[in-house]
Amino acid sequence: MSTQKKCVCILGSPHSGFSLLNGCFHILESISVGDDSRRFFPSFAKEDFELCQSASLIHDSLSRDINFSWDFLSNLPRNWRKTKAAAICTKRIDKIIKKVSENSDQFIIADLLLARFFPLWMDVFNEYDIEPLCVLLNRHPYEVALSLHARESIPLQNGHILWYIYMRDSFLNCTNLRHCMLTFDGLLANPIHALHVISKNLDVEFSRPIEKCKEIILDFVRPDLKTSVMSHEIDSMFEPYSWLYNQMRLLKAKNHLQGNVTQFSRIPHSSEFVSNELATQTIPLIGSHTDRSLHPEAFYANAMIDNLLSMLCGFEQRERSMEVKKQRQLLTTQTIEAHPHAQIYLPQITSGEVCYTDDHSEKFLIVPNEWQTIKIPLRNASHLRDNSLRIDPLHSIGIVHISSCRFIDEATGSIVFQESGSKLFDLSKNDGIAVLQMTEDKCLFLSARRDSKLFLFPIPSLPDKPLFLEIWIKVELRLEALSSIINTNNQLIHSYKSKIDSLNDRAAYQDKLLTDSMQNIEQLTLNYNAALENLDHTQQELDASRKLLQEYSDSLIDAERNAVASHHEKERLQEHARAREQELSNSVDAYKLELKAALEALKKHADSLAAAVQQIEQLRQENEKLKATARAVAPVRPASSSPSKNESS
């Protein structure tokens, strides 16, 4: 049996069974460097315990110093191993390893961040000639994401990426090291078998035999500890992670059937380990030690993934720095009331009435003069379908800018509702808030007192599922900006007033044109009536009437042209001007019809007069003919004879 000192390193993703496996090691009385290390070092004095602080404290300190967090979806910062914080961390690791190795030939390290900071531990292991033995804990990514969402409020998509990041680092750190892979389900189902696998494959001996502690272990590891259970139907977005998890399990089973999982089993270089199961020609899912000359596609694709994750680290660091800055401002303030902050109230139904209480609200620190996002989880969004969400944007006097409001599905990250500007707030319920400016994409308010309130419109379309509310807000405490806003609004008001005066002048001019046109139409109507009464006069009067009607027609055409020319201008006038113009148009059309009928009547009358004159002429001619005939047939009297008295009469 080898006399080299050993360290069992538990690696894996968050919420994969670290506490369970570490608890089993405690039962077997194995030295564990973790959150509760002190109880396993009874011989250490209190003054020496600082040298043997737990791995989690060391990792937390290093994370804080390099501006990193366990839930970052990215690589560690570039050149982090060359930082002063990494050097301090290495010294702390050296002290704790030195102290632990003096008391035991084998010990265990169980901490989540060990997968990220493993290279620092390897440097110390090599210095003290300690062989690291790796236990890879693997759990289905969907269950990991569900557990992270339930305990840490991390979205499911982020939870899957965290699982991939930690498993990727775990596999990379185990390259060419003796290892053993366990699943969370296997540990829950048969912890005794899992401990035997670790003991056999990694050549580890426990202080207490496994069989003697069987009942205690089975009582400690119970299947009901699994609270986040994978459903049968998984969103298509998460299928790639499930596929990768199944490939890991198949690879483990394949190696076991081929006899590769022995006490000397090692994870080879990534190009050999992942084979076709865990890598593609373009994006190797696990591994970054690929030989560039043998597999250039995998090598460069790995480099691109690392570059992408490193770039994400920069963004996450900046976001974390802003949060730390806000928290420091909060800590340096005696009370939150003394610092600008916003408070969001969720509506509660009590005795059939809507109420807003501090118990169902959240406060957010506000940094003045910069845009920031307020995020609040909504566990029961159905209340917002019929009731308003209340926002107290600033517990002091100041100016509040609000850009947009989004409701985001926690499971998928998709936006289920988004609105901004004037369509967002129910201004009829505002209290202590003055509207300075309201556009389609932004709202500008003046908070006039400490308890100013804004209310969102109810949103009937919100689904009944866990959501995130995201609001973009900016506050200004200095009221100098208010004078600038007021001046801008005054300029706008003056501009609008000038435009209104111009429109009023145009409306007055159009009214005058309409009045003149109406007077002309009335005069034409009177003349037309007079013309109708004189239709029975002589032909000369008829010709004069025709000439007058022609003049009237010309005037009517001019009036119609004026009405058409002014029609386009009248569209921008008030509604009553449009109504008067329509009435004028209708009167003109009626007059046209009456004029046309009069012209036809005049024509018929003229035709009748002409026919009467012709008949009179015919009668006169016939009379002449009759006279001529009468003269022709009258008896010729002798010239000497004189008519008698009777004949004369």
Side-chain angles (χ1 to χ4, degrees):
M1 181 177 299
S2 175
T3 58
Q4 185 181 16
K5 295 182 182 294
K6 304 172 185 177
C7 177
V8 179
C9 303
I10 303 177
L11 306 176
S13 65
H15 296 229
S16 295
F18 281 84
S19 300
L20 283 178
L21 187 56
N22 201 23
C24 293
F25 290 151
H26 291 171
I27 294 174
L28 297 175
E29 296 184 357
S30 297
I31 296 180
S32 175
V33 182
D35 291 336
D36 200 18
S37 304
R38 190 171 187 174
R39 55 180 289 198
F40 301 104
F41 308 132
S43 61
F44 292 171
K46 292 183 178 180
E47 59 271 11
D48 296 333
F49 182 72
E50 184 178 354
L51 302 178
C52 299
Q53 56 186 327
S54 66
S56 60
L57 293 177
I58 296 176
H59 294 157
D60 290 343
S61 176
L62 177 58
S63 299
R64 183 183 64 253
D65 293 340
I66 64 175
N67 195 18
F68 189 76
S69 177
W70 70 271
D71 57 350
F72 275 14
L73 308 178
S74 59
N75 278 345
L76 291 165
R78 293 184 184 275
N79 301 321
W80 67 274
R81 296 183 63 181
K82 298 180 181 179
T83 61
K84 182 179 179 180
I88 295 174
C89 180
T90 303
K91 291 181 180 180
R92 292 176 177 174
I93 294 174
D94 183 272
K95 290 180 181 180
I96 192 173
I97 293 298
K98 180 179 179 181
K99 196 70 175 181
V100 173
S101 60
E102 290 176 355
N103 292 271
S104 176
D105 292 336
Q106 64 181 28
F107 54 95
I108 298 164
I109 301 177
D111 186 67
L112 174 62
L113 284 172
L114 180 62
R116 311 304 301 267
F117 299 130
F118 193 77
L120 296 182
W121 293 83
M122 280 297 299
D123 293 341
V124 179
F125 291 156
N126 293 332
E127 180 181 352
Y128 286 95
D129 192 25
I130 297 175
E131 181 185 9
L133 308 172
C134 298
V135 177
L136 288 172
L137 279 177
N138 200 0
R139 185 179 182 182
H140 197 283
Y142 194 77
E143 293 182 354
V144 171
L146 287 176
S147 181
L148 288 171
H149 176 70
R151 298 184 184 181
E152 311 290 346
S153 297
I154 295 177
L156 292 181
Q157 188 173 8
N158 292 21
H160 281 80
I161 298 176
L162 276 176
W163 173 87
Y164 167 70
I165 294 294
Y166 275 89
M167 293 307 299
R168 184 174 186 264
D169 286 350
S170 298
F171 273 97
L172 291 178
N173 293 327
C174 291
T175 301
N176 286 331
L177 298 179
R178 295 169 64 183
H179 77 285
C180 175
M181 185 185 299
L182 298 178
T183 63
F184 182 70
D185 290 334
L187 179 62
L188 283 179
N190 195 342
I192 303 300
H193 174 72
L195 293 172
H196 277 298
V197 170
I198 295 174
S199 177
K200 178 181 178 181
N201 294 344
L202 302 184
D203 192 18
V204 174
E205 293 184 358
F206 301 107
S207 299
R208 298 178 63 185
I210 298 176
E211 295 300 329
K212 291 186 178 181
C213 302
K214 182 176 180 180
E215 294 183 1
I216 301 177
I217 293 173
L218 292 178
D219 184 62
F220 174 69
V221 181
R222 304 184 308 276
D224 59 359
L225 294 176
K226 183 177 181 180
T227 57
S228 300
V229 182
M230 180 187 63
S231 60
H232 295 289
E233 296 183 2
I234 299 179
D235 194 291
S236 59
M237 179 189 303
F238 308 133
E239 289 181 356
Y241 303 93
S242 298
W243 175 86
L244 183 57
Y245 170 77
N246 291 329
Q247 294 300 314
M248 293 177 182
R249 295 183 61 192
L250 290 174
L251 181 62
K252 172 190 173 185
K254 178 180 178 181
N255 290 336
H256 181 75
L257 291 175
Q258 292 177 352
N260 294 335
V261 182
T262 65
Q263 61 179 4
F264 301 107
S265 60
R266 300 176 183 270
I267 293 183
H269 285 294
S270 59
S271 58
E272 302 172 10
F273 174 68
V274 299
S275 184
N276 293 328
E277 290 88 349
L278 301 181
T280 64
Q281 292 183 353
T282 55
I283 301 181
L285 299 174
I286 298 294
S288 64
H289 301 292
T290 307
D291 191 342
R292 177 169 52 183
S293 60
L294 297 178
H295 304 283
E297 299 89 349
F299 178 85
Y300 289 115
N302 246 317
M304 286 189 287
I305 291 180
D306 285 334
N307 289 337
L308 176 62
L309 295 177
S310 298
M311 180 182 67
L312 289 176
C313 180
F315 288 108
E316 290 181 316
Q317 282 184 313
R318 284 192 290 272
E319 183 178 0
R320 178 179 171 84
S321 297
M322 293 178 62
E323 292 297 327
V324 171
K325 178 181 177 182
K326 296 175 185 177
Q327 293 301 324
R328 286 176 179 172
Q329 290 181 351
L330 181 60
L331 292 174
T332 55
T333 305
Q334 294 182 355
T335 62
I336 191 172
E337 300 297 335
H339 198 280
H341 66 280
Q343 191 167 2
I344 297 180
Y345 292 83
L346 299 177
Q348 300 298 317
I349 310 301
T350 303
S351 301
E353 296 184 356
V354 181
C355 60
Y356 300 91
T357 62
D358 291 338
D359 295 336
H360 297 88
S361 69
E362 288 198 28
K363 293 183 179 180
F364 300 89
L365 187 69
I366 300 294
V367 178
N369 304 321
E370 66 179 49
W371 283 101
Q372 59 194 90
T373 308
I374 292 178
K375 293 183 179 180
I376 177 174
L378 302 176
R379 296 293 178 260
N380 188 3
S382 60
H383 285 178
L384 300 180
R385 294 176 182 172
D386 303 314
N387 304 290
S388 298
L389 182 77
R390 171 182 157 186
I391 302 174
D392 294 1
L394 182 62
H395 282 253
S396 63
I397 298 176
I399 300 172
V400 180
H401 305 254
I402 297 180
S403 175
S404 66
C405 176
R406 300 192 301 178
F407 291 84
I408 303 173
D409 190 333
E410 287 191 15
T412 63
S414 60
I415 299 175
V416 299
F417 178 82
Q418 181 175 2
E419 195 58 84
S420 60
S422 57
K423 300 179 181 179
L424 188 58
F425 296 102
D426 187 356
L427 302 180
S428 63
K429 297 182 179 180
N430 287 357
D431 186 12
I433 286 283
V435 180
L436 297 179
Q437 188 177 356
M438 186 76 71
T439 63
E440 293 184 356
D441 57 351
K442 188 174 70 172
C443 299
L444 186 60
F445 302 100
L446 172 63
S447 176
R449 59 175 190 252
R450 294 178 59 86
D451 58 344
S452 56
K453 304 175 182 63
L454 284 172
F455 293 88
L456 297 184
F457 279 113
I459 308 172
S461 60
L462 281 183
D464 188 9
K465 57 170 59 176
L467 302 176
F468 267 115
L469 170 61
E470 182 180 273
I471 300 176
W472 283 91
I473 187 172
K474 173 185 174 183
V475 300
E476 298 180 66
L477 301 181
R478 300 181 62 184
L479 295 183
E480 285 81 355
L482 181 60
S483 60
S484 175
I485 295 171
I486 293 176
N487 291 335
T488 302
N489 289 341
N490 288 337
Q491 292 176 0
L492 291 174
I493 292 172
H494 180 72
S495 175
Y496 293 150
K497 184 177 180 181
S498 299
K499 292 180 179 180
I500 291 173
D501 292 340
S502 177
L503 291 175
N504 288 335
D505 293 340
R506 292 185 181 182
Y509 176 71
Q510 295 298 328
D511 287 340
K512 183 179 179 181
L513 289 179
L514 289 173
T515 302
D516 295 341
S517 299
M518 290 297 296
Q519 291 176 355
N520 291 334
I521 291 175
E522 291 176 359
Q523 185 63 37
L524 290 174
T525 303
L526 294 174
N527 294 336
Y528 171 70
N529 293 332
L532 289 178
E533 294 175 358
N534 297 326
L535 285 177
D536 296 334
H537 293 175
T538 59
Q539 186 67 33
Q540 185 178 1
E541 292 175 347
L542 180 60
D543 294 338
S545 298
R546 287 179 178 176
K547 183 178 180 181
L548 183 60
L549 287 174
Q550 184 63 39
E551 293 176 355
Y552 292 161
S553 297
D554 295 339
S555 299
L556 184 60
I557 291 173
D558 293 338
E560 183 179 0
R561 289 176 180 174
N562 291 334
V564 173
S566 62
H567 177 70
H568 299 290
E569 294 295 331
K570 290 188 295 183
E571 291 180 351
R572 290 172 288 182
L573 299 178
Q574 300 176 355
E575 187 64 27
H576 72 276
R578 294 197 181 101
R580 292 175 63 183
E581 183 181 0
Q582 183 64 35
E583 181 181 355
L584 173 61
S585 178
N586 294 337
S587 300
V588 171
D589 293 339
Y591 178 72
K592 285 182 179 180
L593 295 175
E594 293 176 359
L595 183 59
K596 184 176 179 181
L599 289 175
E600 291 178 356
L602 287 174
K603 184 177 179 182
K604 291 180 180 180
H605 186 66
D607 292 340
S608 300
L609 288 177
V613 171
Q614 186 177 4
Q615 288 178 1
I616 292 171
E617 183 64 26
Q618 289 177 358
L619 291 175
R620 187 185 63 78
Q621 291 177 2
E622 289 179 0
N623 189 23
E624 291 295 331
K625 288 180 182 180
L626 289 175
K627 287 181 180 181
T629 303
R631 286 195 297 268
V633 298
V636 181
R637 299 182 185 275
S640 59
S641 63
S642 55
S644 64
K645 183 177 181 180
N646 294 331
E647 289 176 356
S648 298
S649 60

